[in-house]
Amino acid sequence: MAKEESSSSAPGPSELPPPPAGSGSGSGGETPRRRRRRAPGDPLLIVCGCFSLVTAATALLCVPVNVLSAVQSFRFNGGDIFGGVFRCYAVVISLFVCVLETEWGFIIKFCKVLEYWPARGMLQIFVAVMTKAYPNVDRSDLILLQDIASYLLLACGLIYVISGVLCLGVLKRSRQKKAISRGQAAKDLEELEKRREELEALLLAERCSDFRLGFC
């Protein structure tokens, strides 16, 4: 009689709590969480990022060139003060162009006009002219560096001006805003899915505890 009572008090398969949604039966085990494929990057944004990197490297190359030219002007050319000061200004503006290519929000906020590509290109052309101007040095290697840095930055500035006239800068900014909003939406969705899984786990634990209390 005791065996019959114990067997009758045991819960049947229909009374057991439902298995969790992520678990499977048999050899399948737990089903893996579905992974969303990341959307490929925008080709225009990739090309613009690479070009900004090249422009920043070229502007950074102008810095040591102008520093060496300033030293040459102050020390070896009879103390050419005006040429040395001119080179110092070129160093500062070259650094500014290099930082500007990072599109730091602080700089864009206070120099709103430099957000537009024609203005940015004209600034780069100005730095290239400053680097090339006053070739009052006697070292041929320094003159060669001046030529390379100035012509490279001049080419980058012309590309910026032409692209800005063709409204490629406006297109790039609109696509960049869409990419940022898309990434934020994907991040919010991932957080919601994580929260849903946590709530499902809590609900399952609560069902199991209620089921055990019911047979105590």
Side-chain angles (χ1 to χ4, degrees), residues 168-203:
L168 291 181
V170 178
L171 181 62
K172 182 244 182 181
R173 287 192 295 272
S174 64
R175 290 195 179 185
Q176 193 172 18
K177 290 179 181 179
K178 289 180 181 179
I180 292 173
S181 60
R182 192 183 300 116
Q184 185 65 34
K187 184 178 179 181
D188 294 341
L189 183 59
E190 185 178 354
E191 291 179 356
L192 287 175
E193 288 183 353
K194 186 178 179 180
R195 182 60 178 167
R196 179 179 62 83
E197 290 179 358
E198 292 176 355
L199 292 175
E200 286 180 354
L202 291 174
L203 182 60

PDB file of all heavy atoms in Angstrom, residues 168-203:
ATOM      1  N   LEU A 168      29.812  65.765 -52.233  1.00  0.00           N
ATOM      2  CA  LEU A 168      30.124  64.478 -51.619  1.00  0.00           C
ATOM      3  C   LEU A 168      30.225  64.587 -50.103  1.00  0.00           C
ATOM      4  O   LEU A 168      29.968  63.609 -49.394  1.00  0.00           O
ATOM      5  CB  LEU A 168      31.432  63.931 -52.194  1.00  0.00           C
ATOM      6  CG  LEU A 168      31.395  63.496 -53.660  1.00  0.00           C
ATOM      7  CD1 LEU A 168      32.754  62.965 -54.079  1.00  0.00           C
ATOM      8  CD2 LEU A 168      30.325  62.437 -53.879  1.00  0.00           C
ATOM      9  N   GLY A 169      30.587  65.762 -49.601  1.00  0.00           N
ATOM     10  CA  GLY A 169      30.643  65.944 -48.163  1.00  0.00           C
ATOM     11  C   GLY A 169      29.271  65.855 -47.519  1.00  0.00           C
ATOM     12  O   GLY A 169      29.111  65.256 -46.442  1.00  0.00           O
ATOM     13  N   VAL A 170      28.260  66.435 -48.164  1.00  0.00           N
ATOM     14  CA  VAL A 170      26.889  66.359 -47.643  1.00  0.00           C
ATOM     15  C   VAL A 170      26.406  64.911 -47.648  1.00  0.00           C
ATOM     16  O   VAL A 170      25.779  64.436 -46.691  1.00  0.00           O
ATOM     17  CB  VAL A 170      25.958  67.250 -48.481  1.00  0.00           C
ATOM     18  CG1 VAL A 170      24.525  67.153 -47.980  1.00  0.00           C
ATOM     19  CG2 VAL A 170      26.433  68.698 -48.437  1.00  0.00           C
ATOM     20  N   LEU A 171      26.707  64.194 -48.717  1.00  0.00           N
ATOM     21  CA  LEU A 171      26.322  62.776 -48.802  1.00  0.00           C
ATOM     22  C   LEU A 171      27.010  61.958 -47.722  1.00  0.00           C
ATOM     23  O   LEU A 171      26.398  61.078 -47.095  1.00  0.00           O
ATOM     24  CB  LEU A 171      26.668  62.244 -50.188  1.00  0.00           C
ATOM     25  CG  LEU A 171      26.319  60.773 -50.468  1.00  0.00           C
ATOM     26  CD1 LEU A 171      24.828  60.543 -50.354  1.00  0.00           C
ATOM     27  CD2 LEU A 171      26.826  60.365 -51.848  1.00  0.00           C
ATOM     28  N   LYS A 172      28.284  62.250 -47.482  1.00  0.00           N
ATOM     29  CA  LYS A 172      29.016  61.509 -46.451  1.00  0.00           C
ATOM     30  C   LYS A 172      28.445  61.764 -45.068  1.00  0.00           C
ATOM     31  O   LYS A 172      28.290  60.832 -44.256  1.00  0.00           O
ATOM     32  CB  LYS A 172      30.481  61.905 -46.520  1.00  0.00           C
ATOM     33  CG  LYS A 172      31.367  61.170 -45.524  1.00  0.00           C
ATOM     34  CD  LYS A 172      31.968  62.120 -44.533  1.00  0.00           C
ATOM     35  CE  LYS A 172      32.893  61.414 -43.565  1.00  0.00           C
ATOM     36  NZ  LYS A 172      33.480  62.328 -42.575  1.00  0.00           N
ATOM     37  N   ARG A 173      28.089  63.012 -44.757  1.00  0.00           N
ATOM     38  CA  ARG A 173      27.541  63.320 -43.442  1.00  0.00           C
ATOM     39  C   ARG A 173      26.188  62.661 -43.231  1.00  0.00           C
ATOM     40  O   ARG A 173      25.884  62.166 -42.136  1.00  0.00           O
ATOM     41  CB  ARG A 173      27.434  64.837 -43.261  1.00  0.00           C
ATOM     42  CG  ARG A 173      28.771  65.518 -43.046  1.00  0.00           C
ATOM     43  CD  ARG A 173      28.580  66.960 -42.596  1.00  0.00           C
ATOM     44  NE  ARG A 173      27.957  67.758 -43.637  1.00  0.00           N
ATOM     45  CZ  ARG A 173      28.618  68.398 -44.600  1.00  0.00           C
ATOM     46  NH1 ARG A 173      29.943  68.291 -44.654  1.00  0.00           N
ATOM     47  NH2 ARG A 173      27.996  69.118 -45.488  1.00  0.00           N
ATOM     48  N   SER A 174      25.345  62.633 -44.277  1.00  0.00           N
ATOM     49  CA  SER A 174      24.039  61.986 -44.129  1.00  0.00           C
ATOM     50  C   SER A 174      24.178  60.483 -43.909  1.00  0.00           C
ATOM     51  O   SER A 174      23.499  59.900 -43.062  1.00  0.00           O
ATOM     52  CB  SER A 174      23.187  62.267 -45.373  1.00  0.00           C
ATOM     53  OG  SER A 174      23.786  61.686 -46.527  1.00  0.00           O
ATOM     54  N   ARG A 175      25.082  59.860 -44.645  1.00  0.00           N
ATOM     55  CA  ARG A 175      25.291  58.419 -44.446  1.00  0.00           C
ATOM     56  C   ARG A 175      25.920  58.121 -43.100  1.00  0.00           C
ATOM     57  O   ARG A 175      25.645  57.079 -42.491  1.00  0.00           O
ATOM     58  CB  ARG A 175      26.168  57.876 -45.576  1.00  0.00           C
ATOM     59  CG  ARG A 175      25.474  57.844 -46.924  1.00  0.00           C
ATOM     60  CD  ARG A 175      26.234  56.985 -47.912  1.00  0.00           C
ATOM     61  NE  ARG A 175      25.576  56.914 -49.198  1.00  0.00           N
ATOM     62  CZ  ARG A 175      25.985  56.143 -50.215  1.00  0.00           C
ATOM     63  NH1 ARG A 175      27.080  55.399 -50.051  1.00  0.00           N
ATOM     64  NH2 ARG A 175      25.338  56.121 -51.343  1.00  0.00           N
ATOM     65  N   GLN A 176      26.759  59.028 -42.627  1.00  0.00           N
ATOM     66  CA  GLN A 176      27.365  58.830 -41.315  1.00  0.00           C
ATOM     67  C   GLN A 176      26.314  58.901 -40.214  1.00  0.00           C
ATOM     68  O   GLN A 176      26.344  58.108 -39.260  1.00  0.00           O
ATOM     69  CB  GLN A 176      28.439  59.890 -41.092  1.00  0.00           C
ATOM     70  CG  GLN A 176      29.359  59.615 -39.926  1.00  0.00           C
ATOM     71  CD  GLN A 176      30.509  60.595 -39.874  1.00  0.00           C
ATOM     72  OE1 GLN A 176      30.461  61.655 -40.486  1.00  0.00           O
ATOM     73  NE2 GLN A 176      31.551  60.250 -39.147  1.00  0.00           N
ATOM     74  N   LYS A 177      25.359  59.814 -40.344  1.00  0.00           N
ATOM     75  CA  LYS A 177      24.278  59.900 -39.362  1.00  0.00           C
ATOM     76  C   LYS A 177      23.413  58.648 -39.389  1.00  0.00           C
ATOM     77  O   LYS A 177      23.001  58.138 -38.341  1.00  0.00           O
ATOM     78  CB  LYS A 177      23.426  61.142 -39.638  1.00  0.00           C
ATOM     79  CG  LYS A 177      24.131  62.451 -39.323  1.00  0.00           C
ATOM     80  CD  LYS A 177      23.242  63.640 -39.636  1.00  0.00           C
ATOM     81  CE  LYS A 177      23.956  64.951 -39.350  1.00  0.00           C
ATOM     82  NZ  LYS A 177      23.101  66.127 -39.690  1.00  0.00           N
ATOM     83  N   LYS A 178      23.143  58.127 -40.586  1.00  0.00           N
ATOM     84  CA  LYS A 178      22.353  56.900 -40.685  1.00  0.00           C
ATOM     85  C   LYS A 178      23.082  55.722 -40.062  1.00  0.00           C
ATOM     86  O   LYS A 178      22.483  54.877 -39.390  1.00  0.00           O
ATOM     87  CB  LYS A 178      22.034  56.601 -42.151  1.00  0.00           C
ATOM     88  CG  LYS A 178      21.018  57.543 -42.778  1.00  0.00           C
ATOM     89  CD  LYS A 178      20.748  57.178 -44.225  1.00  0.00           C
ATOM     90  CE  LYS A 178      19.746  58.121 -44.859  1.00  0.00           C
ATOM     91  NZ  LYS A 178      19.498  57.785 -46.300  1.00  0.00           N
ATOM     92  N   ALA A 179      24.388  55.652 -40.288  1.00  0.00           N
ATOM     93  CA  ALA A 179      25.175  54.553 -39.710  1.00  0.00           C
ATOM     94  C   ALA A 179      25.187  54.636 -38.185  1.00  0.00           C
ATOM     95  O   ALA A 179      25.089  53.613 -37.495  1.00  0.00           O
ATOM     96  CB  ALA A 179      26.594  54.584 -40.260  1.00  0.00           C
ATOM     97  N   ILE A 180      25.285  55.848 -37.640  1.00  0.00           N
ATOM     98  CA  ILE A 180      25.289  56.006 -36.187  1.00  0.00           C
ATOM     99  C   ILE A 180      23.941  55.612 -35.605  1.00  0.00           C
ATOM    100  O   ILE A 180      23.864  54.887 -34.598  1.00  0.00           O
ATOM    101  CB  ILE A 180      25.649  57.451 -35.816  1.00  0.00           C
ATOM    102  CG1 ILE A 180      27.111  57.744 -36.181  1.00  0.00           C
ATOM    103  CG2 ILE A 180      25.426  57.706 -34.333  1.00  0.00           C
ATOM    104  CD1 ILE A 180      27.504  59.190 -36.005  1.00  0.00           C
ATOM    105  N   SER A 181      22.849  56.048 -36.236  1.00  0.00           N
ATOM    106  CA  SER A 181      21.517  55.693 -35.738  1.00  0.00           C
ATOM    107  C   SER A 181      21.257  54.196 -35.871  1.00  0.00           C
ATOM    108  O   SER A 181      20.642  53.576 -34.989  1.00  0.00           O
ATOM    109  CB  SER A 181      20.447  56.478 -36.503  1.00  0.00           C
ATOM    110  OG  SER A 181      20.508  56.182 -37.890  1.00  0.00           O
ATOM    111  N   ARG A 182      21.755  53.582 -36.962  1.00  0.00           N
ATOM    112  CA  ARG A 182      21.588  52.140 -37.135  1.00  0.00           C
ATOM    113  C   ARG A 182      22.352  51.358 -36.071  1.00  0.00           C
ATOM    114  O   ARG A 182      21.859  50.373 -35.514  1.00  0.00           O
ATOM    115  CB  ARG A 182      22.045  51.736 -38.533  1.00  0.00           C
ATOM    116  CG  ARG A 182      21.642  50.325 -38.921  1.00  0.00           C
ATOM    117  CD  ARG A 182      22.187  49.960 -40.280  1.00  0.00           C
ATOM    118  NE  ARG A 182      21.693  50.856 -41.310  1.00  0.00           N
ATOM    119  CZ  ARG A 182      22.452  51.672 -42.011  1.00  0.00           C
ATOM    120  NH1 ARG A 182      23.760  51.718 -41.801  1.00  0.00           N
ATOM    121  NH2 ARG A 182      21.931  52.452 -42.939  1.00  0.00           N
ATOM    122  N   GLY A 183      23.557  51.808 -35.777  1.00  0.00           N
ATOM    123  CA  GLY A 183      24.339  51.140 -34.740  1.00  0.00           C
ATOM    124  C   GLY A 183      23.710  51.287 -33.360  1.00  0.00           C
ATOM    125  O   GLY A 183      23.715  50.344 -32.567  1.00  0.00           O
ATOM    126  N   GLN A 184      23.150  52.465 -33.075  1.00  0.00           N
ATOM    127  CA  GLN A 184      22.490  52.671 -31.793  1.00  0.00           C
ATOM    128  C   GLN A 184      21.244  51.804 -31.672  1.00  0.00           C
ATOM    129  O   GLN A 184      20.962  51.244 -30.598  1.00  0.00           O
ATOM    130  CB  GLN A 184      22.128  54.149 -31.629  1.00  0.00           C
ATOM    131  CG  GLN A 184      21.540  54.506 -30.279  1.00  0.00           C
ATOM    132  CD  GLN A 184      22.527  54.304 -29.152  1.00  0.00           C
ATOM    133  OE1 GLN A 184      23.714  54.514 -29.334  1.00  0.00           O
ATOM    134  NE2 GLN A 184      22.039  53.895 -27.987  1.00  0.00           N
ATOM    135  N   ALA A 185      20.495  51.670 -32.783  1.00  0.00           N
ATOM    136  CA  ALA A 185      19.309  50.816 -32.761  1.00  0.00           C
ATOM    137  C   ALA A 185      19.688  49.353 -32.535  1.00  0.00           C
ATOM    138  O   ALA A 185      19.011  48.623 -31.777  1.00  0.00           O
ATOM    139  CB  ALA A 185      18.535  50.968 -34.069  1.00  0.00           C
ATOM    140  N   ALA A 186      20.762  48.892 -33.173  1.00  0.00           N
ATOM    141  CA  ALA A 186      21.205  47.511 -32.971  1.00  0.00           C
ATOM    142  C   ALA A 186      21.660  47.291 -31.526  1.00  0.00           C
ATOM    143  O   ALA A 186      21.390  46.227 -30.939  1.00  0.00           O
ATOM    144  CB  ALA A 186      22.334  47.182 -33.940  1.00  0.00           C
ATOM    145  N   LYS A 187      22.307  48.273 -30.942  1.00  0.00           N
ATOM    146  CA  LYS A 187      22.751  48.149 -29.549  1.00  0.00           C
ATOM    147  C   LYS A 187      21.561  48.096 -28.605  1.00  0.00           C
ATOM    148  O   LYS A 187      21.531  47.280 -27.664  1.00  0.00           O
ATOM    149  CB  LYS A 187      23.659  49.332 -29.204  1.00  0.00           C
ATOM    150  CG  LYS A 187      24.254  49.260 -27.813  1.00  0.00           C
ATOM    151  CD  LYS A 187      25.172  50.443 -27.574  1.00  0.00           C
ATOM    152  CE  LYS A 187      25.759  50.384 -26.160  1.00  0.00           C
ATOM    153  NZ  LYS A 187      26.650  51.546 -25.903  1.00  0.00           N
ATOM    154  N   ASP A 188      20.548  48.943 -28.844  1.00  0.00           N
ATOM    155  CA  ASP A 188      19.343  48.919 -28.005  1.00  0.00           C
ATOM    156  C   ASP A 188      18.611  47.590 -28.130  1.00  0.00           C
ATOM    157  O   ASP A 188      18.103  47.049 -27.137  1.00  0.00           O
ATOM    158  CB  ASP A 188      18.419  50.071 -28.395  1.00  0.00           C
ATOM    159  CG  ASP A 188      19.035  51.430 -28.084  1.00  0.00           C
ATOM    160  OD1 ASP A 188      19.977  51.474 -27.272  1.00  0.00           O
ATOM    161  OD2 ASP A 188      18.583  52.433 -28.673  1.00  0.00           O
ATOM    162  N   LEU A 189      18.544  47.045 -29.353  1.00  0.00           N
ATOM    163  CA  LEU A 189      17.871  45.767 -29.555  1.00  0.00           C
ATOM    164  C   LEU A 189      18.604  44.642 -28.842  1.00  0.00           C
ATOM    165  O   LEU A 189      17.984  43.742 -28.257  1.00  0.00           O
ATOM    166  CB  LEU A 189      17.771  45.473 -31.062  1.00  0.00           C
ATOM    167  CG  LEU A 189      17.034  44.192 -31.460  1.00  0.00           C
ATOM    168  CD1 LEU A 189      15.606  44.219 -30.955  1.00  0.00           C
ATOM    169  CD2 LEU A 189      17.061  44.016 -32.968  1.00  0.00           C
ATOM    170  N   GLU A 190      19.923  44.690 -28.856  1.00  0.00           N
ATOM    171  CA  GLU A 190      20.699  43.662 -28.155  1.00  0.00           C
ATOM    172  C   GLU A 190      20.472  43.738 -26.652  1.00  0.00           C
ATOM    173  O   GLU A 190      20.353  42.700 -25.983  1.00  0.00           O
ATOM    174  CB  GLU A 190      22.178  43.844 -28.482  1.00  0.00           C
ATOM    175  CG  GLU A 190      23.079  42.761 -27.919  1.00  0.00           C
ATOM    176  CD  GLU A 190      24.520  42.958 -28.314  1.00  0.00           C
ATOM    177  OE1 GLU A 190      24.789  43.872 -29.116  1.00  0.00           O
ATOM    178  OE2 GLU A 190      25.378  42.205 -27.821  1.00  0.00           O
ATOM    179  N   GLU A 191      20.374  44.936 -26.118  1.00  0.00           N
ATOM    180  CA  GLU A 191      20.101  45.087 -24.691  1.00  0.00           C
ATOM    181  C   GLU A 191      18.703  44.586 -24.343  1.00  0.00           C
ATOM    182  O   GLU A 191      18.506  43.956 -23.295  1.00  0.00           O
ATOM    183  CB  GLU A 191      20.251  46.553 -24.289  1.00  0.00           C
ATOM    184  CG  GLU A 191      21.684  47.060 -24.338  1.00  0.00           C
ATOM    185  CD  GLU A 191      21.799  48.517 -23.955  1.00  0.00           C
ATOM    186  OE1 GLU A 191      20.739  49.139 -23.724  1.00  0.00           O
ATOM    187  OE2 GLU A 191      22.934  49.025 -23.883  1.00  0.00           O
ATOM    188  N   LEU A 192      17.727  44.836 -25.213  1.00  0.00           N
ATOM    189  CA  LEU A 192      16.374  44.347 -24.969  1.00  0.00           C
ATOM    190  C   LEU A 192      16.330  42.819 -24.994  1.00  0.00           C
ATOM    191  O   LEU A 192      15.635  42.196 -24.173  1.00  0.00           O
ATOM    192  CB  LEU A 192      15.411  44.918 -26.017  1.00  0.00           C
ATOM    193  CG  LEU A 192      15.053  46.399 -25.876  1.00  0.00           C
ATOM    194  CD1 LEU A 192      14.202  46.857 -27.046  1.00  0.00           C
ATOM    195  CD2 LEU A 192      14.329  46.650 -24.560  1.00  0.00           C
ATOM    196  N   GLU A 193      17.043  42.195 -25.925  1.00  0.00           N
ATOM    197  CA  GLU A 193      17.074  40.735 -25.971  1.00  0.00           C
ATOM    198  C   GLU A 193      17.738  40.153 -24.723  1.00  0.00           C
ATOM    199  O   GLU A 193      17.287  39.136 -24.189  1.00  0.00           O
ATOM    200  CB  GLU A 193      17.814  40.273 -27.225  1.00  0.00           C
ATOM    201  CG  GLU A 193      17.032  40.488 -28.512  1.00  0.00           C
ATOM    202  CD  GLU A 193      17.770  39.953 -29.719  1.00  0.00           C
ATOM    203  OE1 GLU A 193      18.944  39.542 -29.553  1.00  0.00           O
ATOM    204  OE2 GLU A 193      17.180  39.948 -30.809  1.00  0.00           O
ATOM    205  N   LYS A 194      18.804  40.785 -24.261  1.00  0.00           N
ATOM    206  CA  LYS A 194      19.457  40.326 -23.043  1.00  0.00           C
ATOM    207  C   LYS A 194      18.529  40.446 -21.848  1.00  0.00           C
ATOM    208  O   LYS A 194      18.453  39.533 -21.005  1.00  0.00           O
ATOM    209  CB  LYS A 194      20.724  41.144 -22.816  1.00  0.00           C
ATOM    210  CG  LYS A 194      21.568  40.665 -21.654  1.00  0.00           C
ATOM    211  CD  LYS A 194      22.829  41.497 -21.528  1.00  0.00           C
ATOM    212  CE  LYS A 194      23.678  41.032 -20.344  1.00  0.00           C
ATOM    213  NZ  LYS A 194      24.914  41.857 -20.222  1.00  0.00           N
ATOM    214  N   ARG A 195      17.798  41.543 -21.777  1.00  0.00           N
ATOM    215  CA  ARG A 195      16.838  41.727 -20.682  1.00  0.00           C
ATOM    216  C   ARG A 195      15.717  40.704 -20.770  1.00  0.00           C
ATOM    217  O   ARG A 195      15.261  40.181 -19.741  1.00  0.00           O
ATOM    218  CB  ARG A 195      16.269  43.155 -20.751  1.00  0.00           C
ATOM    219  CG  ARG A 195      15.293  43.488 -19.637  1.00  0.00           C
ATOM    220  CD  ARG A 195      15.923  43.376 -18.285  1.00  0.00           C
ATOM    221  NE  ARG A 195      15.004  43.728 -17.223  1.00  0.00           N
ATOM    222  CZ  ARG A 195      15.213  43.482 -15.942  1.00  0.00           C
ATOM    223  NH1 ARG A 195      16.337  42.876 -15.563  1.00  0.00           N
ATOM    224  NH2 ARG A 195      14.339  43.838 -15.030  1.00  0.00           N
ATOM    225  N   ARG A 196      15.267  40.379 -21.990  1.00  0.00           N
ATOM    226  CA  ARG A 196      14.200  39.391 -22.146  1.00  0.00           C
ATOM    227  C   ARG A 196      14.659  38.010 -21.679  1.00  0.00           C
ATOM    228  O   ARG A 196      13.907  37.280 -21.027  1.00  0.00           O
ATOM    229  CB  ARG A 196      13.770  39.328 -23.614  1.00  0.00           C
ATOM    230  CG  ARG A 196      12.679  38.308 -23.909  1.00  0.00           C
ATOM    231  CD  ARG A 196      12.297  38.338 -25.371  1.00  0.00           C
ATOM    232  NE  ARG A 196      13.423  37.994 -26.220  1.00  0.00           N
ATOM    233  CZ  ARG A 196      13.786  36.726 -26.484  1.00  0.00           C
ATOM    234  NH1 ARG A 196      13.122  35.715 -25.965  1.00  0.00           N
ATOM    235  NH2 ARG A 196      14.810  36.496 -27.281  1.00  0.00           N
ATOM    236  N   GLU A 197      15.894  37.653 -21.997  1.00  0.00           N
ATOM    237  CA  GLU A 197      16.417  36.364 -21.550  1.00  0.00           C
ATOM    238  C   GLU A 197      16.524  36.305 -20.026  1.00  0.00           C
ATOM    239  O   GLU A 197      16.242  35.271 -19.412  1.00  0.00           O
ATOM    240  CB  GLU A 197      17.787  36.115 -22.186  1.00  0.00           C
ATOM    241  CG  GLU A 197      17.717  35.849 -23.681  1.00  0.00           C
ATOM    242  CD  GLU A 197      19.092  35.625 -24.279  1.00  0.00           C
ATOM    243  OE1 GLU A 197      20.086  35.724 -23.508  1.00  0.00           O
ATOM    244  OE2 GLU A 197      19.178  35.354 -25.478  1.00  0.00           O
ATOM    245  N   GLU A 198      16.915  37.421 -19.403  1.00  0.00           N
ATOM    246  CA  GLU A 198      16.978  37.448 -17.941  1.00  0.00           C
ATOM    247  C   GLU A 198      15.596  37.289 -17.327  1.00  0.00           C
ATOM    248  O   GLU A 198      15.420  36.564 -16.343  1.00  0.00           O
ATOM    249  CB  GLU A 198      17.615  38.755 -17.482  1.00  0.00           C
ATOM    250  CG  GLU A 198      19.094  38.882 -17.838  1.00  0.00           C
ATOM    251  CD  GLU A 198      19.666  40.234 -17.457  1.00  0.00           C
ATOM    252  OE1 GLU A 198      18.866  41.086 -17.006  1.00  0.00           O
ATOM    253  OE2 GLU A 198      20.884  40.435 -17.628  1.00  0.00           O
ATOM    254  N   LEU A 199      14.600  37.951 -17.914  1.00  0.00           N
ATOM    255  CA  LEU A 199      13.234  37.819 -17.397  1.00  0.00           C
ATOM    256  C   LEU A 199      12.699  36.408 -17.587  1.00  0.00           C
ATOM    257  O   LEU A 199      11.993  35.880 -16.716  1.00  0.00           O
ATOM    258  CB  LEU A 199      12.321  38.838 -18.093  1.00  0.00           C
ATOM    259  CG  LEU A 199      12.577  40.310 -17.757  1.00  0.00           C
ATOM    260  CD1 LEU A 199      11.690  41.216 -18.599  1.00  0.00           C
ATOM    261  CD2 LEU A 199      12.342  40.568 -16.281  1.00  0.00           C
ATOM    262  N   GLU A 200      13.007  35.779 -18.733  1.00  0.00           N
ATOM    263  CA  GLU A 200      12.575  34.399 -18.937  1.00  0.00           C
ATOM    264  C   GLU A 200      13.219  33.457 -17.927  1.00  0.00           C
ATOM    265  O   GLU A 200      12.569  32.529 -17.438  1.00  0.00           O
ATOM    266  CB  GLU A 200      12.924  33.964 -20.363  1.00  0.00           C
ATOM    267  CG  GLU A 200      12.030  34.568 -21.425  1.00  0.00           C
ATOM    268  CD  GLU A 200      12.411  34.108 -22.807  1.00  0.00           C
ATOM    269  OE1 GLU A 200      13.436  33.402 -22.937  1.00  0.00           O
ATOM    270  OE2 GLU A 200      11.680  34.434 -23.764  1.00  0.00           O
ATOM    271  N   ALA A 201      14.484  33.679 -17.604  1.00  0.00           N
ATOM    272  CA  ALA A 201      15.154  32.838 -16.609  1.00  0.00           C
ATOM    273  C   ALA A 201      14.522  33.016 -15.227  1.00  0.00           C
ATOM    274  O   ALA A 201      14.312  32.046 -14.488  1.00  0.00           O
ATOM    275  CB  ALA A 201      16.640  33.166 -16.567  1.00  0.00           C
ATOM    276  N   LEU A 202      14.198  34.273 -14.860  1.00  0.00           N
ATOM    277  CA  LEU A 202      13.545  34.513 -13.580  1.00  0.00           C
ATOM    278  C   LEU A 202      12.157  33.886 -13.528  1.00  0.00           C
ATOM    279  O   LEU A 202      11.751  33.312 -12.510  1.00  0.00           O
ATOM    280  CB  LEU A 202      13.451  36.021 -13.326  1.00  0.00           C
ATOM    281  CG  LEU A 202      14.771  36.748 -13.050  1.00  0.00           C
ATOM    282  CD1 LEU A 202      14.535  38.249 -12.960  1.00  0.00           C
ATOM    283  CD2 LEU A 202      15.402  36.236 -11.766  1.00  0.00           C
ATOM    284  N   LEU A 203      11.418  33.961 -14.634  1.00  0.00           N
ATOM    285  CA  LEU A 203      10.083  33.375 -14.684  1.00  0.00           C
ATOM    286  C   LEU A 203      10.141  31.864 -14.566  1.00  0.00           C
ATOM    287  O   LEU A 203       9.314  31.239 -13.875  1.00  0.00           O
ATOM    288  CB  LEU A 203       9.387  33.790 -15.987  1.00  0.00           C
ATOM    289  CG  LEU A 203       7.953  33.302 -16.184  1.00  0.00           C
ATOM    290  CD1 LEU A 203       7.058  33.831 -15.078  1.00  0.00           C
ATOM    291  CD2 LEU A 203       7.427  33.736 -17.544  1.00  0.00           C
TER     292      LEU A 203
END
